[in-house]
Amino acid sequence: MKKILKIILLLLSVSLFMISCEERNTPNNSDEYYVKYSITTTRQLHYFRGVTYADINGMITTKEKDSPSRVWTITIGPVKKGFRASIQYNEGGTCQIEVSKNNGPFALKAEGKNSASYTIDF
């Protein structure tokens, strides 16, 4: 009887150990990401009409900005791993996508003339 009890306890211990290892190796689905979109143009006075970008609910197209500037920026989130960030602006300028994971610093992930896209995979 004591042998059977020892075997059961051993099997139970091994099972619990394996379950805890499995949980450590699975990706953390609670990670939150924030996406910062920006457009920089060389024009002195620019109103940024028609910027299209992916937000947490789908694609958004902006209306005219209230005051002229050389830079347009917006931050969206939280989003999850696998989110496809994209920005497009056909009137000229450099588009950038930066991503922050779990409130960490923003890191540049994509850049392009008139558009950029990036799928979160880290």
Side-chain angles (χ1 to χ4, degrees):
M1 183 71 171
K2 285 185 179 182
K3 265 187 172 180
I4 293 174
L5 187 58
K6 285 181 183 180
I7 292 173
I8 291 173
L9 286 175
L10 178 66
L11 289 174
L12 184 61
S13 298
V14 169
S15 297
L16 289 174
F17 176 75
M18 294 193 59
I19 289 171
S20 67
C21 287
E22 237 178 76
E23 287 176 4
R24 267 183 266 157
N25 292 332
T26 57
N28 186 355
N29 291 332
S30 65
D31 287 336
E32 289 187 334
Y33 300 85
Y34 286 84
V35 177
K36 184 190 302 183
Y37 297 112
S38 60
I39 302 170
T40 307
T41 183
T42 57
R43 296 184 202 171
Q44 182 70 24
L45 300 174
H46 199 69
Y47 285 95
F48 293 99
R49 283 183 284 268
V51 176
T52 303
Y53 63 94
D55 80 345
I56 60 175
N57 299 312
M59 295 301 284
I60 299 288
T61 300
T62 63
K63 296 183 172 50
E64 185 173 295
K65 188 174 179 180
D66 293 340
S67 59
S69 68
R70 289 184 180 178
V71 178
W72 178 92
T73 187
I74 191 168
T75 302
I76 63 146
V79 297
K80 296 293 184 187
K81 184 176 182 176
F83 177 79
R84 187 176 186 280
S86 65
I87 184 167
Q88 182 174 356
Y89 185 62
N90 293 326
E91 293 186 33
T94 301
C95 297
Q96 291 184 330
I97 298 173
E98 297 173 84
V99 178
S100 166
K101 180 179 180 181
N102 296 328
N103 293 319
F106 280 93
L108 181 63
K109 295 296 184 178
E111 182 176 53
K113 183 168 176 67
N114 299 329
S115 68
S117 64
Y118 173 73
T119 301
I120 297 174
D121 65 353
F122 69 100

